[in-house]
Amino acid sequence: MSDTPDASSRPDGASSGPPASDGTAEGDAFPSTGTTAESDAPPSADATTERGTPGGRTAHPLARFLIRRILLAILMAWGITLVTFVLTNLVPGDPVAANLGQRALGDPAIVAQWRAEHGLDQPLWQQYAVYLQGLLQGDLGTSQQSHRPVSEDLAEYVPATLELAGAAILVSLVLGVAFGVVAALRRDRLSDHLLRLLSLIGISVPTFWLALVAFYVFFYRLQLTPGSGRVDAALGSAPPVTGLQTVDALLAGRWDIFTSAVGHLITPALVLALYTIGLLTRFTRSAVLEVLGQDYVRAARAKGLPGRVILFRYVLRSALVPIITVAGLAFGSLLSGTVLVEAIFAWPGVGQYAYKSATTLDLPAVMGVGLVVGIVYLVINLIVDVLYGVIDPRVRLQ
């Protein structure tokens, strides 16, 4: 017994040997009835700190993870404002010539007055300082075309794009993940080859061409879907609450408007979702196949666990990290890449607003759209990072 080190000399009073599985002393067939040194020793300072007691108020790893990500997002938001401002002002073309008529351009006094009203007669760094000061006060500037605050224009157009992109990403997640799981579970079978072929077609077909074909076939030729816009003009719109036609119609109890809004939403949402479905199918199949080859999945099968339990508890949870990454990036690209689809289906979203602003060199509106898209990407990346930390604890401890 004199060779055994005292419990107080070990960290946290822990035993140096492997823990006994049934609470018995090592080498003893029966549980010990006396009080051991480990049970009498007070917890060490390190153990108290890890438990988050008053002895050491250590922040939770997830809280530290969130704080780091939020601070990084704020820094990147400032970088977005700088890049958006610089690139917008480097665009070739004269906003004066785009907004004034030919007769006004011949009058230097009118040109100078217009430049002074919009701050274009100041140095570039001073224009950025004024722009940044306005952003801190929630002012995105005034559109040179609509002569309204850019924030009001975006509040009118952004909900339409959010509704379209949200429906597309929802369809993509349901079908893409399901197709990927089926393809992985039935590897090298006919269903696997068919799903891989469909995913390749979805990734390869240009979205604008598919939108034209879908509009021509389903609306013009077959007349199965409604035409352009978000809702039938005869029905009008529901009282605006969220800006989303489907949600506002439900809140107002207008089922006729809700049905019309869903009908107008189906075709453009499916067109936008086809590329993302193909992408998610391929990534999900690859991630699930990688997890299926892990030792803990083989062990779960050896224990006789049902296949449904193995799939949802072990396989899908481990495969979620790459799936969430692709889904987040896809949603951001849907928000910023709907210009042509919105133009074909006459969808009054931020894509059409950005196109009109770019063609008329409406600089405040262009910078406002760029800032909103950048902030959306930041928020999506922040949500993805948080989901990483929730799903995989190793991420938040790094």
Side-chain angles (χ1 to χ4, degrees):
M1 299 296 292
S2 60
D3 296 334
T4 305
D6 188 25
S8 61
S9 64
R10 306 185 204 105
D12 299 334
S15 174
S16 60
S21 59
D22 56 354
T24 59
E26 186 177 356
D28 198 359
F30 301 95
S32 175
T33 56
T35 304
T36 61
E38 286 83 2
S39 62
D40 291 338
S44 64
D46 294 336
T48 306
T49 302
E50 292 175 358
R51 295 187 183 97
T53 56
R57 300 182 181 276
T58 304
H60 194 276
L62 184 58
R64 296 198 302 267
F65 178 79
L66 289 177
I67 292 173
R68 290 198 303 267
R69 289 296 184 269
I70 292 174
L71 292 177
L72 182 61
I74 294 174
L75 181 62
M76 293 182 66
W78 171 77
I80 288 173
T81 63
L82 180 61
V83 172
T84 303
F85 180 84
V86 172
L87 291 181
T88 303
N89 283 273
L90 289 178
V91 172
D94 188 3
V96 178
N99 289 273
L100 293 180
Q102 292 296 327
R103 182 175 299 179
L105 283 175
D107 191 341
I110 296 178
V111 172
Q113 181 182 359
W114 195 91
R115 287 184 175 275
E117 288 178 355
H118 294 85
L120 298 179
D121 58 338
Q122 301 174 353
L124 195 61
W125 66 267
Q126 191 170 352
Q127 294 181 36
Y128 176 69
V130 173
Y131 175 68
L132 195 60
Q133 182 180 1
L135 287 180
L136 295 177
Q137 299 174 356
D139 182 15
L140 298 178
T142 302
S143 172
Q144 298 166 0
Q145 291 296 313
S146 65
H147 304 289
R148 297 195 308 168
V150 175
S151 56
E152 292 184 5
D153 288 345
L154 291 175
E156 179 181 341
Y157 289 102
V158 168
T161 300
L162 282 177
E163 187 173 36
L164 180 58
I169 197 64
L170 182 62
V171 173
S172 302
L173 284 173
V174 174
L175 296 181
V177 174
F179 290 166
V181 171
V182 171
L185 295 179
R186 304 183 63 84
R187 183 180 182 181
D188 293 333
R189 298 182 184 179
L190 179 60
S191 56
D192 178 26
H193 294 305
L194 289 177
L195 290 174
R196 291 169 65 185
L197 178 62
L198 290 176
S199 67
L200 182 61
I201 294 174
I203 294 175
S204 304
V205 174
T207 303
F208 71 90
W209 180 84
L210 183 64
L212 287 172
V213 172
F215 187 82
Y216 176 77
V217 172
F218 294 106
F219 170 68
Y220 183 73
R221 299 294 298 180
L222 302 179
Q223 297 183 355
L224 295 177
T225 58
S228 57
R230 301 178 65 188
V231 70
D232 291 337
L235 296 176
S237 300
V241 178
T242 63
L244 310 177
Q245 285 288 350
T246 52
V247 177
D248 291 344
L250 287 176
L251 293 177
R254 294 291 305 273
W255 293 101
D256 53 346
I257 297 179
F258 174 77
T259 305
S260 176
V262 171
H264 282 78
L265 185 62
I266 289 176
T267 307
L270 289 177
V271 168
L272 281 175
L274 185 62
Y275 174 82
T276 312
I277 289 174
L279 198 63
L280 283 173
T281 299
R282 299 178 74 86
F283 270 88
T284 302
R285 179 184 181 275
S286 177
V288 171
L289 284 177
E290 183 179 355
V291 176
L292 286 174
Q294 298 297 323
D295 292 336
Y296 59 86
V297 177
R298 298 193 188 98
R301 288 173 175 170
K303 290 180 180 179
L305 292 179
R308 183 179 301 177
V309 174
I310 296 175
L311 177 63
F312 289 100
R313 185 177 297 179
Y314 294 94
V315 177
L316 279 183
R317 183 171 182 179
S318 300
L320 274 180
V321 171
I323 296 174
I324 290 175
T325 303
V326 176
L329 294 176
F331 184 63
S333 65
L334 286 175
L335 286 176
S336 59
T338 60
V339 178
L340 295 176
V341 175
E342 288 182 359
I344 292 171
F345 289 95
W347 194 268
V350 71
Q352 284 206 50
Y353 181 69
Y355 173 75
K356 294 177 182 178
S357 302
T359 54
T360 58
L361 288 181
D362 189 352
L363 298 185
V366 172
M367 288 188 291
V369 172
L371 181 63
V372 167
V373 172
I375 295 299
V376 167
Y377 266 101
L378 278 183
V379 173
I380 291 174
N381 286 331
L382 180 61
I383 294 174
V384 169
D385 288 341
V386 172
L387 291 177
Y388 283 170
V390 172
I391 295 172
D392 191 351
R394 296 172 298 178
V395 174
R396 60 177 181 254
L397 292 176
Q398 291 178 355

